[in-house]
Amino acid sequence: MAEATINKTESSEEERELTDGFHLIIDALKLNGVETIYGVPGIPITDFGRMAQAEGIRVLSFRHEQNAGNAAAIAGYLTKKPGICLTVSAPGFLNGLTALANATTNCFPMILLSGSSEREIVDLQQGDYEEMDQLAIAKPLCKAAFRVLHAQDIGIGVARAIRAAVSGRPGGVYLDLPAKLFGQVIDAEAGEKSLVKVIDPAPAQIPAPDSISRALETLKSAERPLIILGKGAAYAQADDAIRALLEKTGIPFLPMSMAKGILPDTHPQCAGAARSTVLKESDVVMLIGARLNWLLSQGKGKPWGGRKKFIQIDIEPREMDSNVEIAAPVVGDISSCVSALLDGIDASWPAAPAEWISAVQTKKETNVARMAPKLMNNNFPMDYHGALGALRTIIKERPDAILVNEGANTLDLARGIIDMYNPRKRLDVGTWGVMGIGMGFAIAAAVETGKPVLAVEGDSAFGFSGMEIETICRYNLPVCVVVFNNNGIYRGTDANAVSSDPAPTCFVTDARYDKMMEAFGGVGVHATTPDELKRAVDAAMDSGKPTLINAAIDPAAGSESGRIGNLNPQSKLRKK
Ligand SMILES: Cc1ncc(C[n+]2csc(CCOP(=O)(O)OP(=O)(O)O)c2C)c(N)n1
Ligand SMILES: [Mg+2]
């Protein structure tokens, strides 16, 4: 007994004087405000996860690294702090890498921390356990990649990763942590001194005054102005300034998918319901945190009607002229740029051209009226419009809930039909249109915000991350997953003319995804009409219990590739 006490005292004295790689990484993360790690355990990071949890960091264990990575990425988007994903070496790292690349493409700040094998063996390609030159592989797929070899460099390594992730245009950063690093022991005081607290990790980038006056002149000259809000605008959390700019100018605005809700979709200036008209007929377009990529037809061609003058606000100078000439580039962080524009808008600013405003309004009213009856149907079998009409009411009644959305028809129709009322409440497939973000995004949204989450998932989309419903149940998160089950990808009706194999786009007919949720102790519901669906979602949102609703959708209701079927290559031979 006495001996045990002495040993304990001795060892705690030792701990006071020495520290190791494990603890230095944890201390560096904590010093920089990291509260949550999303990951999957295994060699060489199992103990690291345990220790991080013991030191008060929330460590959420997933079933696959891609989902943990997507969780970290969206945590970064929601908080403006890098989301942290932790993986093992080679295969775990690669599983996380898709999420890191996706985060970079979407400008979400995220850090992938992966354990790696012995450098000496990896570099000589001598066949180590999970051998892979992870740093080299990560480099072209993310914003920055670093490796830390010595415990005394952990502080700087973590600081560089954080700053790289959030400063300028945010993105994904890879930090390689070789197994040997974790066990390295150094003097505790020297260790503490080596840590770096990142001061002002994303400094404001003030736009040049000339660029502001040029932008204001261009905007003033417009006869048919339009403002397009991208998810960069949502990320900036400059909601009040953006609203003031829009309302002071009275210009119609179009929110990109994840920018929905910066101002409510029901705002009188929102031109979402007249999208094709405003793109085609506008003459001056101001882009705020939106890129002229494929989602905006690269700023040219048929959807845009004729040549326009573009004003573009972006933190990345190289974004300008990426596809078409930008008449008024404004480079800086969105908050600073929008504030500077606002300063230049006084009482003498001309009212938005009345003819244009009323043309947009008329178009909106026609389109909304055409859609309305479709959304009120209570058909059996359920179609997308009936089901989404019900979910639209849910979000209207619960505007604080977070909507996660992926699929093809399930995505494209939900985007158009479900109005958003608050910023950063719609999380979806983003720039790549990637399937598999669903459960990772839903988990992080619940964890980071504490708000209820409604995940509206195509049955195919759900399959990419579906096993994480166990994670949702394990952490008892307020997530309601609605699977739009139409027996397949786009439709469940394709036939195979030559064998008994199902067509490539078809799944098991009438699968019961709700039973999966029950297997983990969650609530499973099978809904076959919009009324049933509405009742089930309301119950889930009221209770906060992990719920999965299998919403049976008419397998013939969807269309090929949702709204982007035109992107499918066509052979001239087939057309003959
Ligand atoms: C990672 C990835 N793999 C494949 C695709 C191609 N893809 C686009 S949508 C989709 C699934 C569409 O089916 P579903 O989710 O059931 O939606 P539905 O149209 O049936 O409502 C797939 C596989 C993709 N976008 N991302
Ligand atoms: Mg489907």
Side-chain angles (χ1 to χ4, degrees), residues 177-202:
L177 304 173
K180 268 188 192 165
L181 178 74
F182 292 93
Q184 278 179 31
V185 171
I186 64 168
D187 177 74
E189 206 185 311
E192 202 194 318
K193 281 191 186 144
S194 72
L195 299 182
V196 176
K197 184 163 167 57
V198 183
I199 311 294
D200 194 11

PDB file of all heavy atoms in Angstrom, residues 177-202:
ATOM      1  N   LEU A 177       1.103  12.940 -39.025  1.00  0.00           N
ATOM      2  CA  LEU A 177       1.640  12.685 -37.691  1.00  0.00           C
ATOM      3  C   LEU A 177       2.207  11.268 -37.628  1.00  0.00           C
ATOM      4  O   LEU A 177       1.487  10.302 -37.348  1.00  0.00           O
ATOM      5  CB  LEU A 177       0.527  12.852 -36.648  1.00  0.00           C
ATOM      6  CG  LEU A 177      -0.205  14.203 -36.654  1.00  0.00           C
ATOM      7  CD1 LEU A 177      -1.393  14.174 -35.701  1.00  0.00           C
ATOM      8  CD2 LEU A 177       0.743  15.350 -36.293  1.00  0.00           C
ATOM      9  N   PRO A 178       3.508  11.111 -37.884  1.00  0.00           N
ATOM     10  CA  PRO A 178       4.099   9.770 -37.863  1.00  0.00           C
ATOM     11  C   PRO A 178       3.981   9.132 -36.469  1.00  0.00           C
ATOM     12  O   PRO A 178       4.058   9.826 -35.449  1.00  0.00           O
ATOM     13  CB  PRO A 178       5.563  10.017 -38.219  1.00  0.00           C
ATOM     14  CG  PRO A 178       5.583  11.353 -38.897  1.00  0.00           C
ATOM     15  CD  PRO A 178       4.482  12.138 -38.263  1.00  0.00           C
ATOM     16  N   ALA A 179       3.811   7.823 -36.449  1.00  0.00           N
ATOM     17  CA  ALA A 179       3.579   7.095 -35.193  1.00  0.00           C
ATOM     18  C   ALA A 179       4.611   7.459 -34.120  1.00  0.00           C
ATOM     19  O   ALA A 179       4.265   7.649 -32.949  1.00  0.00           O
ATOM     20  CB  ALA A 179       3.592   5.600 -35.469  1.00  0.00           C
ATOM     21  N   LYS A 180       5.857   7.566 -34.532  1.00  0.00           N
ATOM     22  CA  LYS A 180       6.935   7.822 -33.562  1.00  0.00           C
ATOM     23  C   LYS A 180       6.759   9.148 -32.820  1.00  0.00           C
ATOM     24  O   LYS A 180       7.234   9.317 -31.704  1.00  0.00           O
ATOM     25  CB  LYS A 180       8.279   7.874 -34.292  1.00  0.00           C
ATOM     26  CG  LYS A 180       9.002   6.560 -34.369  1.00  0.00           C
ATOM     27  CD  LYS A 180      10.389   6.831 -34.951  1.00  0.00           C
ATOM     28  CE  LYS A 180      11.093   5.532 -35.333  1.00  0.00           C
ATOM     29  NZ  LYS A 180      12.233   5.811 -36.206  1.00  0.00           N
ATOM     30  N   LEU A 181       6.109  10.101 -33.479  1.00  0.00           N
ATOM     31  CA  LEU A 181       5.954  11.434 -32.887  1.00  0.00           C
ATOM     32  C   LEU A 181       5.170  11.377 -31.571  1.00  0.00           C
ATOM     33  O   LEU A 181       5.493  12.071 -30.614  1.00  0.00           O
ATOM     34  CB  LEU A 181       5.237  12.343 -33.887  1.00  0.00           C
ATOM     35  CG  LEU A 181       4.935  13.765 -33.417  1.00  0.00           C
ATOM     36  CD1 LEU A 181       6.222  14.600 -33.393  1.00  0.00           C
ATOM     37  CD2 LEU A 181       3.921  14.446 -34.342  1.00  0.00           C
ATOM     38  N   PHE A 182       4.146  10.520 -31.548  1.00  0.00           N
ATOM     39  CA  PHE A 182       3.246  10.497 -30.387  1.00  0.00           C
ATOM     40  C   PHE A 182       3.988  10.134 -29.095  1.00  0.00           C
ATOM     41  O   PHE A 182       3.707  10.660 -28.031  1.00  0.00           O
ATOM     42  CB  PHE A 182       2.101   9.496 -30.634  1.00  0.00           C
ATOM     43  CG  PHE A 182       1.160   9.932 -31.717  1.00  0.00           C
ATOM     44  CD1 PHE A 182       1.339   9.517 -33.039  1.00  0.00           C
ATOM     45  CD2 PHE A 182       0.094  10.763 -31.421  1.00  0.00           C
ATOM     46  CE1 PHE A 182       0.476   9.922 -34.043  1.00  0.00           C
ATOM     47  CE2 PHE A 182      -0.787  11.174 -32.423  1.00  0.00           C
ATOM     48  CZ  PHE A 182      -0.588  10.752 -33.737  1.00  0.00           C
ATOM     49  N   GLY A 183       4.944   9.217 -29.230  1.00  0.00           N
ATOM     50  CA  GLY A 183       5.635   8.731 -28.035  1.00  0.00           C
ATOM     51  C   GLY A 183       6.861   9.551 -27.659  1.00  0.00           C
ATOM     52  O   GLY A 183       7.465   9.308 -26.614  1.00  0.00           O
ATOM     53  N   GLN A 184       7.247  10.506 -28.484  1.00  0.00           N
ATOM     54  CA  GLN A 184       8.452  11.294 -28.172  1.00  0.00           C
ATOM     55  C   GLN A 184       8.248  12.084 -26.889  1.00  0.00           C
ATOM     56  O   GLN A 184       7.213  12.731 -26.706  1.00  0.00           O
ATOM     57  CB  GLN A 184       8.753  12.290 -29.294  1.00  0.00           C
ATOM     58  CG  GLN A 184       9.497  11.706 -30.469  1.00  0.00           C
ATOM     59  CD  GLN A 184       9.741  12.765 -31.544  1.00  0.00           C
ATOM     60  OE1 GLN A 184       9.892  13.953 -31.258  1.00  0.00           O
ATOM     61  NE2 GLN A 184       9.768  12.323 -32.779  1.00  0.00           N
ATOM     62  N   VAL A 185       9.256  12.038 -26.018  1.00  0.00           N
ATOM     63  CA  VAL A 185       9.148  12.706 -24.718  1.00  0.00           C
ATOM     64  C   VAL A 185      10.093  13.907 -24.703  1.00  0.00           C
ATOM     65  O   VAL A 185      11.238  13.796 -25.129  1.00  0.00           O
ATOM     66  CB  VAL A 185       9.512  11.700 -23.600  1.00  0.00           C
ATOM     67  CG1 VAL A 185       9.640  12.394 -22.263  1.00  0.00           C
ATOM     68  CG2 VAL A 185       8.452  10.599 -23.545  1.00  0.00           C
ATOM     69  N   ILE A 186       9.570  15.039 -24.252  1.00  0.00           N
ATOM     70  CA  ILE A 186      10.443  16.215 -24.081  1.00  0.00           C
ATOM     71  C   ILE A 186      10.131  16.887 -22.746  1.00  0.00           C
ATOM     72  O   ILE A 186       9.112  16.582 -22.112  1.00  0.00           O
ATOM     73  CB  ILE A 186      10.328  17.245 -25.243  1.00  0.00           C
ATOM     74  CG1 ILE A 186       8.921  17.863 -25.312  1.00  0.00           C
ATOM     75  CG2 ILE A 186      10.730  16.639 -26.565  1.00  0.00           C
ATOM     76  CD1 ILE A 186       8.847  19.080 -26.243  1.00  0.00           C
ATOM     77  N   ASP A 187      10.972  17.785 -22.368  1.00  0.00           N
ATOM     78  CA  ASP A 187      10.787  18.541 -21.134  1.00  0.00           C
ATOM     79  C   ASP A 187       9.444  19.286 -21.184  1.00  0.00           C
ATOM     80  O   ASP A 187       9.132  19.952 -22.182  1.00  0.00           O
ATOM     81  CB  ASP A 187      11.948  19.536 -21.016  1.00  0.00           C
ATOM     82  CG  ASP A 187      11.794  20.414 -19.791  1.00  0.00           C
ATOM     83  OD1 ASP A 187      12.028  19.895 -18.693  1.00  0.00           O
ATOM     84  OD2 ASP A 187      11.398  21.588 -19.967  1.00  0.00           O
ATOM     85  N   ALA A 188       8.678  19.148 -20.112  1.00  0.00           N
ATOM     86  CA  ALA A 188       7.309  19.684 -20.141  1.00  0.00           C
ATOM     87  C   ALA A 188       7.290  21.207 -20.319  1.00  0.00           C
ATOM     88  O   ALA A 188       6.465  21.748 -21.032  1.00  0.00           O
ATOM     89  CB  ALA A 188       6.571  19.285 -18.877  1.00  0.00           C
ATOM     90  N   GLU A 189       8.220  21.869 -19.641  1.00  0.00           N
ATOM     91  CA  GLU A 189       8.221  23.333 -19.724  1.00  0.00           C
ATOM     92  C   GLU A 189       8.581  23.800 -21.142  1.00  0.00           C
ATOM     93  O   GLU A 189       7.935  24.685 -21.705  1.00  0.00           O
ATOM     94  CB  GLU A 189       9.226  23.887 -18.720  1.00  0.00           C
ATOM     95  CG  GLU A 189       8.868  25.290 -18.278  1.00  0.00           C
ATOM     96  CD  GLU A 189       9.946  25.876 -17.371  1.00  0.00           C
ATOM     97  OE1 GLU A 189      10.365  25.181 -16.413  1.00  0.00           O
ATOM     98  OE2 GLU A 189      10.367  27.009 -17.658  1.00  0.00           O
ATOM     99  N   ALA A 190       9.588  23.133 -21.707  1.00  0.00           N
ATOM    100  CA  ALA A 190       9.960  23.461 -23.097  1.00  0.00           C
ATOM    101  C   ALA A 190       8.796  23.153 -24.021  1.00  0.00           C
ATOM    102  O   ALA A 190       8.508  23.908 -24.969  1.00  0.00           O
ATOM    103  CB  ALA A 190      11.192  22.653 -23.509  1.00  0.00           C
ATOM    104  N   GLY A 191       8.120  22.065 -23.733  1.00  0.00           N
ATOM    105  CA  GLY A 191       6.952  21.679 -24.537  1.00  0.00           C
ATOM    106  C   GLY A 191       5.890  22.759 -24.494  1.00  0.00           C
ATOM    107  O   GLY A 191       5.378  23.196 -25.534  1.00  0.00           O
ATOM    108  N   GLU A 192       5.591  23.216 -23.293  1.00  0.00           N
ATOM    109  CA  GLU A 192       4.546  24.234 -23.159  1.00  0.00           C
ATOM    110  C   GLU A 192       4.931  25.509 -23.913  1.00  0.00           C
ATOM    111  O   GLU A 192       4.103  26.125 -24.576  1.00  0.00           O
ATOM    112  CB  GLU A 192       4.321  24.524 -21.672  1.00  0.00           C
ATOM    113  CG  GLU A 192       2.956  25.119 -21.413  1.00  0.00           C
ATOM    114  CD  GLU A 192       2.861  25.706 -20.029  1.00  0.00           C
ATOM    115  OE1 GLU A 192       3.360  25.075 -19.078  1.00  0.00           O
ATOM    116  OE2 GLU A 192       2.292  26.821 -19.918  1.00  0.00           O
ATOM    117  N   LYS A 193       6.217  25.857 -23.773  1.00  0.00           N
ATOM    118  CA  LYS A 193       6.681  27.080 -24.452  1.00  0.00           C
ATOM    119  C   LYS A 193       6.641  26.944 -25.968  1.00  0.00           C
ATOM    120  O   LYS A 193       6.585  27.941 -26.692  1.00  0.00           O
ATOM    121  CB  LYS A 193       8.114  27.401 -24.013  1.00  0.00           C
ATOM    122  CG  LYS A 193       8.164  28.067 -22.652  1.00  0.00           C
ATOM    123  CD  LYS A 193       9.553  28.618 -22.375  1.00  0.00           C
ATOM    124  CE  LYS A 193       9.636  29.143 -20.955  1.00  0.00           C
ATOM    125  NZ  LYS A 193      10.961  28.893 -20.359  1.00  0.00           N
ATOM    126  N   SER A 194       6.690  25.690 -26.455  1.00  0.00           N
ATOM    127  CA  SER A 194       6.723  25.503 -27.918  1.00  0.00           C
ATOM    128  C   SER A 194       5.336  25.643 -28.541  1.00  0.00           C
ATOM    129  O   SER A 194       5.204  25.709 -29.758  1.00  0.00           O
ATOM    130  CB  SER A 194       7.308  24.130 -28.261  1.00  0.00           C
ATOM    131  OG  SER A 194       6.371  23.107 -27.936  1.00  0.00           O
ATOM    132  N   LEU A 195       4.300  25.680 -27.697  1.00  0.00           N
ATOM    133  CA  LEU A 195       2.950  25.766 -28.260  1.00  0.00           C
ATOM    134  C   LEU A 195       2.676  27.174 -28.775  1.00  0.00           C
ATOM    135  O   LEU A 195       3.200  28.152 -28.246  1.00  0.00           O
ATOM    136  CB  LEU A 195       1.910  25.381 -27.205  1.00  0.00           C
ATOM    137  CG  LEU A 195       2.035  23.952 -26.664  1.00  0.00           C
ATOM    138  CD1 LEU A 195       0.926  23.656 -25.667  1.00  0.00           C
ATOM    139  CD2 LEU A 195       2.007  22.928 -27.803  1.00  0.00           C
ATOM    140  N   VAL A 196       1.844  27.254 -29.800  1.00  0.00           N
ATOM    141  CA  VAL A 196       1.552  28.545 -30.427  1.00  0.00           C
ATOM    142  C   VAL A 196       0.049  28.779 -30.451  1.00  0.00           C
ATOM    143  O   VAL A 196      -0.698  27.943 -30.958  1.00  0.00           O
ATOM    144  CB  VAL A 196       2.086  28.563 -31.886  1.00  0.00           C
ATOM    145  CG1 VAL A 196       1.695  29.858 -32.593  1.00  0.00           C
ATOM    146  CG2 VAL A 196       3.595  28.375 -31.899  1.00  0.00           C
ATOM    147  N   LYS A 197      -0.355  29.900 -29.873  1.00  0.00           N
ATOM    148  CA  LYS A 197      -1.765  30.268 -30.002  1.00  0.00           C
ATOM    149  C   LYS A 197      -1.886  31.153 -31.241  1.00  0.00           C
ATOM    150  O   LYS A 197      -1.202  32.166 -31.357  1.00  0.00           O
ATOM    151  CB  LYS A 197      -2.238  31.016 -28.756  1.00  0.00           C
ATOM    152  CG  LYS A 197      -3.713  31.338 -28.812  1.00  0.00           C
ATOM    153  CD  LYS A 197      -4.249  31.696 -27.431  1.00  0.00           C
ATOM    154  CE  LYS A 197      -5.623  32.321 -27.499  1.00  0.00           C
ATOM    155  NZ  LYS A 197      -6.621  31.478 -28.172  1.00  0.00           N
ATOM    156  N   VAL A 198      -2.728  30.760 -32.151  1.00  0.00           N
ATOM    157  CA  VAL A 198      -2.838  31.495 -33.414  1.00  0.00           C
ATOM    158  C   VAL A 198      -3.662  32.762 -33.176  1.00  0.00           C
ATOM    159  O   VAL A 198      -4.845  32.690 -32.861  1.00  0.00           O
ATOM    160  CB  VAL A 198      -3.497  30.620 -34.501  1.00  0.00           C
ATOM    161  CG1 VAL A 198      -3.538  31.368 -35.824  1.00  0.00           C
ATOM    162  CG2 VAL A 198      -2.743  29.311 -34.656  1.00  0.00           C
ATOM    163  N   ILE A 199      -2.992  33.899 -33.301  1.00  0.00           N
ATOM    164  CA  ILE A 199      -3.667  35.184 -33.082  1.00  0.00           C
ATOM    165  C   ILE A 199      -4.312  35.628 -34.393  1.00  0.00           C
ATOM    166  O   ILE A 199      -3.664  35.658 -35.426  1.00  0.00           O
ATOM    167  CB  ILE A 199      -2.643  36.271 -32.646  1.00  0.00           C
ATOM    168  CG1 ILE A 199      -1.742  35.772 -31.513  1.00  0.00           C
ATOM    169  CG2 ILE A 199      -3.353  37.576 -32.278  1.00  0.00           C
ATOM    170  CD1 ILE A 199      -2.394  35.490 -30.201  1.00  0.00           C
ATOM    171  N   ASP A 200      -5.573  35.983 -34.347  1.00  0.00           N
ATOM    172  CA  ASP A 200      -6.280  36.489 -35.525  1.00  0.00           C
ATOM    173  C   ASP A 200      -6.079  35.562 -36.733  1.00  0.00           C
ATOM    174  O   ASP A 200      -5.457  35.942 -37.731  1.00  0.00           O
ATOM    175  CB  ASP A 200      -5.765  37.909 -35.850  1.00  0.00           C
ATOM    176  CG  ASP A 200      -6.677  38.631 -36.827  1.00  0.00           C
ATOM    177  OD1 ASP A 200      -7.791  38.129 -37.076  1.00  0.00           O
ATOM    178  OD2 ASP A 200      -6.268  39.688 -37.347  1.00  0.00           O
ATOM    179  N   PRO A 201      -6.582  34.327 -36.619  1.00  0.00           N
ATOM    180  CA  PRO A 201      -6.272  33.309 -37.642  1.00  0.00           C
ATOM    181  C   PRO A 201      -6.785  33.656 -39.046  1.00  0.00           C
ATOM    182  O   PRO A 201      -6.191  33.222 -40.030  1.00  0.00           O
ATOM    183  CB  PRO A 201      -6.969  32.041 -37.132  1.00  0.00           C
ATOM    184  CG  PRO A 201      -7.852  32.468 -36.017  1.00  0.00           C
ATOM    185  CD  PRO A 201      -7.390  33.797 -35.522  1.00  0.00           C
ATOM    186  N   ALA A 202      -7.853  34.435 -39.139  1.00  0.00           N
ATOM    187  CA  ALA A 202      -8.352  34.818 -40.476  1.00  0.00           C
ATOM    188  C   ALA A 202      -8.472  36.331 -40.523  1.00  0.00           C
ATOM    189  O   ALA A 202      -9.556  36.892 -40.417  1.00  0.00           O
ATOM    190  CB  ALA A 202      -9.703  34.161 -40.739  1.00  0.00           C
TER     191      ALA A 202
END
